[in-house]
Amino acid sequence: MGKKAVIVSLWPTLPVLLFACFLPMEDLQRALSARGLAVSTLPEKGRCLFSTRDFAPGDVILNEEPYVSVPNRGSIDSRCDWCFSTSNLKKCSACQVVCYCGSACQKSDWRVHRLECGALSKLDKHRQKSLTPSIRLMVKLYIRKKLQRGKIIPTTGTDNFKLVEALVTHMSDIDEKQLILYAQMANLVNLILQLPDINIKEIAENFSKLACNAHTICDSELRPLGTGLYPVISIINHSCLPNSVLVFEGRVAVIRAVQHIPKGTEVLISYIETAGSTMTRQKALKEQYFFSCTCPRCIKVGQFDDIQESAIFEGYRCKDNGCSGFLLRDSVDKGFICQQCGLVRDREDITNIASEIKLLSERASKSVSSGYNTEACGIYKMIEKLQQTLCHPFSITLMQTRETLLKLSMELQDWKEALAYCRSTIPVYQSYSGTQTVQSSR
């Protein structure tokens, strides 16, 4: 049969096939239109989310329940599989793997867990212990796909498996070692589910999708609680100068505007911590998401502004405490010259302080892991003092130490000190975000 004959034989079904392909996108566009949003495709970016109305700072642009989600597997605390609470937990009496904090959460999750429970109950104890959050997320993904296909769970324009299928895999960018790992994980998922129509290659590709598209679900204090897949929010592209931010309200992902977004503007969030040099940001994006950013910050790489920003965020301070200049290496690489006052800081001086900080950091880490928060807090204060003599006042390293002290102070219920550390981090965030702040719309 020639090509022409094939086309002729397919013609009666082509309209049906095309309708099936475009219907989910039409449904999505319709659902997003009511929210003042639209999906568009750009050659250099792929799918993008655009505003079709103005959004003010603090406005909710989009919110989405996870298509599937799982709690983190903690070494100490378990979490409710639905709301991620750690209170009043009881294990599922059948599988003895999943926990719920009450009947309401168990009922909300029951349609998916009913099938998952049956599959997990058949596993021996050894295999149950190998159930990582990623494995469970994939198992739940295929169960939800099956339930939606059987119309047991309804589909909507923003909640259907076609949106998962549309996510990018980046399989061609993954190294052989990672591909083998995905294949092994896919085999385990196949063993757990034992579905007749399951495709191991497709499962491996979906693991690649999760790696690029799943989000860490955090509480209001940015502590990680679990992982969720949000296919609509995954359409939103990255910028190191985002106009929006992703936050979580329980398990619901919420996109809020951090600045005025005029009609016709692309909605952008940051996939990574944007406090850092261009080189650091580009490395993180390439390793995790397989692309190079071309946002207004990143296209300045190698220019004076970019060099200055890198030296401030990741470099050293002038040895004159009254000077706020940034340091660059001298021509013979024996020290660092302040670009404001010209003073030279000796390399040996920097090395000695850095070595002391490293030793203290190892001690602090051991104290935290042992639960000695008071002791750890004292050591981190010593680290902060040394970093103040070594790092630029807007250093990311110094800011991270203060964030650690903030968390420890909260754990110790020293609210006054926690507030002080919180305030000390604000100027750093303002310096790289262009003084953008999220304002409440309430």
Side-chain angles (χ1 to χ4, degrees):
M1 187 183 289
K3 289 181 182 178
K4 193 171 183 179
V6 171
I7 293 170
V8 171
S9 68
L10 282 175
W11 172 247
T13 62
L14 270 175
V16 178
L17 291 171
L18 289 170
F19 182 73
C21 290
F22 287 109
L23 184 60
M25 183 56 74
E26 286 181 1
D27 289 344
L28 176 62
Q29 293 282 31
R30 196 176 299 114
L32 292 176
S33 176
R35 305 184 189 196
L37 300 166
V39 177
S40 185
T41 302
L42 297 178
E44 68 277 13
K45 283 186 170 185
R47 295 187 304 165
C48 311
L49 191 68
F50 280 84
S51 63
T52 58
R53 68 172 180 87
D54 290 357
F55 288 95
D59 280 356
V60 173
I61 299 171
L62 180 64
N63 50 36
E64 184 181 9
E65 290 270 356
Y67 188 79
V68 284
S69 63
V70 290
N72 287 344
R73 190 171 68 174
S75 55
I76 301 172
D77 293 328
S78 296
R79 292 189 179 276
C80 173
D81 223 63
W82 184 257
C83 73
F84 302 152
S85 169
T86 56
S87 303
N88 304 316
L89 296 180
K90 289 184 180 179
K91 281 189 175 181
C92 170
S93 57
C95 69
Q96 292 291 308
V97 173
V98 174
C99 295
Y100 295 104
C101 65
S103 58
C105 285
Q106 188 173 21
K107 185 178 179 181
S108 297
D109 199 35
W110 178 242
R111 283 179 295 184
V112 171
H113 184 61
R114 182 175 63 84
L115 296 184
E116 184 194 26
C117 185
L120 298 182
S121 299
K122 295 174 185 176
L123 299 177
D124 58 41
K125 295 293 182 184
H126 174 71
R127 282 218 167 93
Q128 282 189 358
K129 288 180 180 177
S130 66
L131 289 171
T132 62
S134 295
I135 296 291
R136 283 204 57 223
L137 200 66
M138 189 62 68
V139 168
K140 294 178 83 169
L141 183 74
Y142 275 90
I143 288 173
R144 204 161 196 276
K145 175 188 177 184
K146 179 182 178 181
L147 292 172
Q148 285 193 323
R149 185 175 287 174
K151 301 189 185 302
I152 296 168
I153 293 178
T155 60
T156 68
T158 56
D159 180 5
N160 62 80
F161 193 76
K162 290 288 183 184
L163 297 174
V164 178
E165 289 178 328
L167 297 175
V168 178
T169 66
H170 289 291
M171 287 294 279
S172 60
D173 299 309
I174 298 168
D175 62 36
E176 186 179 353
K177 185 178 177 182
Q178 193 64 40
L179 287 172
I180 292 170
L181 177 61
Y182 285 156
Q184 292 170 338
M185 293 165 73
N187 274 312
L188 180 54
V189 170
N190 183 40
L191 177 71
I192 293 167
L193 290 172
Q194 296 183 6
L195 297 175
D197 59 343
I198 204 160
N199 183 314
I200 291 178
K201 183 183 176 184
E202 181 193 274
I203 300 172
E205 288 176 350
N206 281 331
F207 272 118
S208 178
K209 287 181 181 181
L210 291 183
C212 298
N213 293 284
H215 288 87
T216 300
I217 301 169
C218 299
D219 64 12
S220 59
E221 295 167 12
L222 301 183
R223 292 177 296 200
L225 305 178
T227 305
L229 183 63
Y230 301 85
V232 180
I233 283 174
S234 292
I235 295 170
I236 301 173
N237 286 316
H238 163 86
S239 172
C240 299
L241 277 175
N243 55 22
S244 311
V245 65
L246 169 63
V247 294
F248 290 92
E249 295 176 2
R251 63 204 291 272
V252 178
V254 180
I255 302 294
R256 282 187 181 271
V258 295
Q259 63 186 54
H260 176 65
I261 300 176
K263 178 181 177 180
T265 303
E266 185 180 3
V267 177
L268 298 164
I269 61 173
S270 177
Y271 295 176
I272 57 167
E273 172 58 78
T274 54
S277 68
T278 303
M279 295 286 284
T280 299
R281 298 192 314 273
Q282 291 281 17
K283 183 174 182 288
L285 289 167
K286 198 71 176 174
E287 288 177 354
Q288 177 70 35
Y289 301 103
F290 306 103
F291 73 89
S292 297
C293 182
T294 56
C295 75
R297 278 182 79 190
C298 288
I299 60 173
K300 292 180 181 179
V301 64
Q303 296 178 18
F304 178 79
D305 286 352
D306 178 64
I307 293 168
Q308 178 178 345
E309 184 182 78
S310 299
I312 288 171
F313 286 152
E314 298 177 2
Y316 308 113
R317 72 168 301 143
C318 180
K319 64 182 181 181
D320 178 359
N321 291 335
C323 178
S324 59
F326 65 96
L327 276 58
L328 296 177
R329 293 178 190 272
D330 64 16
S331 57
V332 291
D333 200 24
K334 289 186 177 180
F336 295 82
I337 302 172
C338 177
Q339 301 304 294
Q340 184 165 303
C341 70
L343 283 175
V344 178
R345 188 154 192 185
D346 188 64
R347 173 181 284 277
E348 188 178 350
D349 172 43
I350 289 171
T351 303
N352 290 339
I353 298 172
S355 298
E356 196 173 345
I357 290 170
K358 185 181 177 182
L359 290 172
L360 285 170
S361 297
E362 289 169 359
R363 277 180 55 198
S365 181
K366 287 177 182 176
S367 296
V368 169
S369 59
S370 301
Y372 301 141
N373 287 345
T374 303
E375 180 182 288
C377 197
I379 299 171
Y380 274 114
K381 285 179 181 178
M382 293 165 64
I383 293 170
E384 181 198 22
K385 193 173 181 179
L386 284 170
Q387 286 176 339
Q388 284 176 306
T389 67
L390 179 66
C391 305
H392 191 278
F394 288 163
S395 159
I396 303 304
T397 308
L398 177 57
M399 183 188 72
Q400 288 169 343
T401 297
R402 286 171 172 165
E403 286 180 336
T404 302
L405 282 164
L406 164 62
K407 290 173 185 175
L408 286 170
S409 298
M410 292 177 71
E411 292 285 342
L412 297 168
Q413 297 188 357
D414 188 340
W415 309 117
K416 187 177 179 181
E417 194 154 271
L419 180 60
Y421 283 119
C422 180
R423 284 175 172 160
S424 70
T425 64
I426 292 172
V428 186
Y429 280 113
Q430 288 178 328
S431 71
Y432 76 79
S433 65
T435 67
Q436 296 177 90
T437 55
V438 181
Q439 298 171 20
S440 174
S441 59
R442 287 175 291 176

